[in-house]
């Protein structure tokens, strides 16, 4: 039996571990970053982005990937795709961000600030070279079932272990022996601090702390409902069991390695014109009463994640609403606006915050004033 640890040791290790967390990844829109997300999408947490098709889920995810690749010169991304990934869109987002020198949020003494870095104009050729280099740091796994998603996470985890092992071999022998002599209960705590820290290089050490630096990483699943839904259709119990087991494993690596983990999810709910559907009180998840949809996979999934973001559309004006919800709503076109709402925030006060946006050219999130 391993000896018990003092609370002060546990607290010191926890504080040290939290201090190594990278700054949040931008969603590509400064107002949403600051007004809704309090800086962006956090590392060390699992964030679910739910919404119906066409609400901007993939654009949000690709903007976050672009922010990650630009901010961390050796940062890695694992993209688990259940459908054909539109890498051309990711490429276009990277080109647009680099063209305007938009590096996303930076951490200053006053907190997270969305800031555009101004420097010399970059040539088109240099931009394409940078984009190609960034895309080489994106690992894409095509999966068709839930075991495939779990296998992709396992392969990504193995890559961490491999990098850690390679760097341990470069450490001096006395330090290596000291780490190996630690008792079992303390080993896991020290492993987080003695292995590599999220940063911008994979083989260097922080001069102040001596902690080895590990490239920051991002894990994205697009779209988990495509693979979990088929399993739940056969057996709800088995589907929820698989999902819970996978999320627990994902939580371990997300928190231990300070990964920014994004899980894209579908939305369910009937059209508000369907008078045969009578919603129960617990069906209403949004602060907007006219929103009849909700994230797929049920409440069980929401309990497992850290942050739940819901994307949906609403009529832009009163006239648009009259057209949308009137008798001719299905046949007439009307103006719509996209909305983002934080349904859950386990580690902060973002729950209930919302913002409006439109997706321009399929790559850019623009503000909308209502």
């Amino acid at each position: 039996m391993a000896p018990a640890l003092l609370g002060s040791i546990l607290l010191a290790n926890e504080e040290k571990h939290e201090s190594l967390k990278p700054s949040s990844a931008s969603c590509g829109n400064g107002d949403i970053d600051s007004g809704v997300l309090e800086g962006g999408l956090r590392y060390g947490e699992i964030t679910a982005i739910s919404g119906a098709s066409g609400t901007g889920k993939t654009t949000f995810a690709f903007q976050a990937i672009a922010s990650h690749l630009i901010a961390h010169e050796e940062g890695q991304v694992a993209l688990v795709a259940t459908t054909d990934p539109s890498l051309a869109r990711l490429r276009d987002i990277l080109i647009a961000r680099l063209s305007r020198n938009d590096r996303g949020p930076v951490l200053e003494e006053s907190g997270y600030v969305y800031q555009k870095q101004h420097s010399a104009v970059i040539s088109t050729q240099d931009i394409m070279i940078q984009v190609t280099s960034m895309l080489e740091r994106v690992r894409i796994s095509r999966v068709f079932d839930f075991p495939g998603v779990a296998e992709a996470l396992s392969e990504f985890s193995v890559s961490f272990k491999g990098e850690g092992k390679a760097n341990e071999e470069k450490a001096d022998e006395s330090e290596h022996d000291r780490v190996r002599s630690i008792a079992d209960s303390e080993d896991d705590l020290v492993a987080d601090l003695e292995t590599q820290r999220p940063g911008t290089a994979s083989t260097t050490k922080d001069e102040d702390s001596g902690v080895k630096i590990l490239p920051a990483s991002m894990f994205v699943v697009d779209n988990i409902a495509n693979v979990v839904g088929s399993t739940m259709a056969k057996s709800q119990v088995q589907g929820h069991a698989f999902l819970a087991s996978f999320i627990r494993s994902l939580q371990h690596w997300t928190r231990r390695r300070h990964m920014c983990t994004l899980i894209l999810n579908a939305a369910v709910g009937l059209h508000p014109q369907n008078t045969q559907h009578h919603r129960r009180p617990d069906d209403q998840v949004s602060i907007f009463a006219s929103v009849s949809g909700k994230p797929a996979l049920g409440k069980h999934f929401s309990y497992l994640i850290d942050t739940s973001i819901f994307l949906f559309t609403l009529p832009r004006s009163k006239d648009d609403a009259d057209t949308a919800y009137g008798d001719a709503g299905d046949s007439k076109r009307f103006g719509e606006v996209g909305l983002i709402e934080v349904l859950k925030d386990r580690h902060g006060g973002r729950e209930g915050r919302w913002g409006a946006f439109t997706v321009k050219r399929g790559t850019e999130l623009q503000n909308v004033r209502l």
Side-chain angles (χ1 to χ4, degrees):
M1 179 178 177
L5 295 176
L6 295 175
S8 58
I9 296 178
L10 293 172
L11 179 60
N13 278 277
E14 182 178 343
E15 290 177 344
K16 181 64 176 178
H17 184 67
E18 286 299 309
S19 70
L20 304 179
K21 186 183 296 184
S23 57
S24 300
S26 170
C27 73
N29 182 292
D31 288 345
I32 293 178
D33 282 336
S34 58
V36 180
L37 302 177
E38 291 186 355
L41 301 165
R42 297 170 180 158
Y43 286 79
E45 296 184 10
I46 298 177
T47 300
I49 304 176
S50 306
S53 177
T55 53
K57 300 187 301 295
T58 302
T59 301
F60 265 86
F62 279 1
Q63 285 284 356
I65 291 175
S67 298
H68 174 82
L69 293 173
I70 293 172
H72 305 281
E73 293 180 358
E74 294 190 13
Q76 303 293 317
V77 176
L79 174 58
V80 182
T82 62
T83 58
D84 291 328
S86 178
L87 292 183
R89 192 193 304 184
L90 177 57
R91 177 203 62 200
D92 293 343
I93 289 174
L94 285 168
I95 292 174
R97 294 279 293 269
L98 291 175
S99 296
R100 63 176 184 260
N101 255 350
D102 182 358
R103 307 188 69 86
V106 294
L107 186 62
E108 297 182 350
E109 292 183 1
S110 58
Y112 288 107
V113 180
Y114 189 79
Q115 175 176 315
K116 294 183 178 180
Q117 305 286 350
H118 298 285
S119 60
V121 177
I122 307 175
S123 69
T124 302
Q125 183 178 2
D126 289 340
I127 289 176
M128 293 308 301
I129 292 174
Q130 291 185 46
V131 169
T132 300
S133 176
M134 290 176 182
L135 291 177
E136 289 176 351
R137 293 187 273 125
V138 180
R139 308 176 186 179
I140 302 174
S141 301
R142 287 290 310 279
V143 301
F144 304 97
D145 53 23
F146 196 67
V149 179
E151 183 178 352
L153 174 61
S154 177
E155 291 176 355
F156 199 44
S157 303
V158 167
S159 70
F160 277 129
K161 294 178 181 178
E163 290 171 355
K165 183 177 180 181
N167 286 316
E168 280 182 4
E169 292 174 354
K170 296 179 181 179
D172 85 353
E173 187 174 340
S174 61
E175 179 184 359
H176 182 70
D177 292 340
R178 178 177 62 81
V179 173
R180 290 181 61 86
S181 66
I182 296 175
D184 291 341
S185 63
E186 194 171 347
D187 189 34
D188 286 341
L189 290 171
V190 179
D192 289 335
L193 304 178
E194 295 298 329
T195 54
Q196 300 171 337
R197 162 182 127 175
T200 58
S202 58
T203 58
T204 61
K205 285 188 176 183
D206 181 65
E207 295 181 357
D208 297 329
S209 64
V211 177
K212 285 171 278 188
I213 299 174
L214 177 73
S217 57
M218 178 175 284
F219 189 83
V220 182
V221 180
D222 182 14
N223 179 304
I224 196 169
N226 292 342
V227 291
V228 178
S230 59
T231 303
M232 289 187 174
K234 299 176 183 178
S235 171
Q236 286 279 339
V237 174
Q238 185 180 37
H240 283 302
F242 282 160
L243 183 62
S245 177
F246 169 72
I247 297 296
R248 280 196 297 268
S249 180
L250 187 58
Q251 282 176 338
H252 169 76
W253 286 106
T254 296
R255 292 170 183 171
R256 179 162 182 164
R257 300 298 184 182
H258 290 316
M259 292 197 307
C260 181
T261 299
L262 307 178
I263 300 180
L264 274 58
N265 186 23
V268 295
L270 299 178
H271 194 282
Q273 288 182 326
N274 189 339
T275 58
Q276 301 300 317
H277 175 61
H278 299 284
R279 287 185 293 171
R280 298 173 300 178
D282 58 351
D283 285 338
Q284 185 66 41
V285 298
S286 172
I287 60 175
F288 295 89
S290 58
V291 176
S292 59
K294 59 183 179 180
L297 305 182
K299 291 183 178 180
H300 180 73
F301 176 65
S302 66
Y303 295 148
L304 299 172
I305 60 176
D306 298 302
T307 302
S308 177
I309 294 175
F310 192 33
L311 304 182
F312 51 92
T313 60
L314 287 177
R316 183 160 187 162
S317 66
K318 181 179 182 302
D319 292 339
D320 292 324
D322 292 339
T323 303
Y325 302 130
D327 294 336
D330 290 330
S331 59
K332 289 187 177 181
R333 300 188 63 178
F334 52 89
E336 289 185 309
V337 62
L339 285 97
I340 173 175
E341 181 183 350
V342 180
L343 300 182
K344 172 189 175 181
D345 183 12
R346 178 175 294 170
H347 304 294
R350 300 178 297 179
E351 186 171 327
R353 295 194 177 189
W354 63 275
F357 66 93
T358 59
V359 179
K360 183 179 180 181
R361 294 190 295 270
T363 60
E364 185 179 349
L365 300 173
Q366 289 193 332
N367 296 323
V368 173
R369 297 186 180 277
L370 299 177

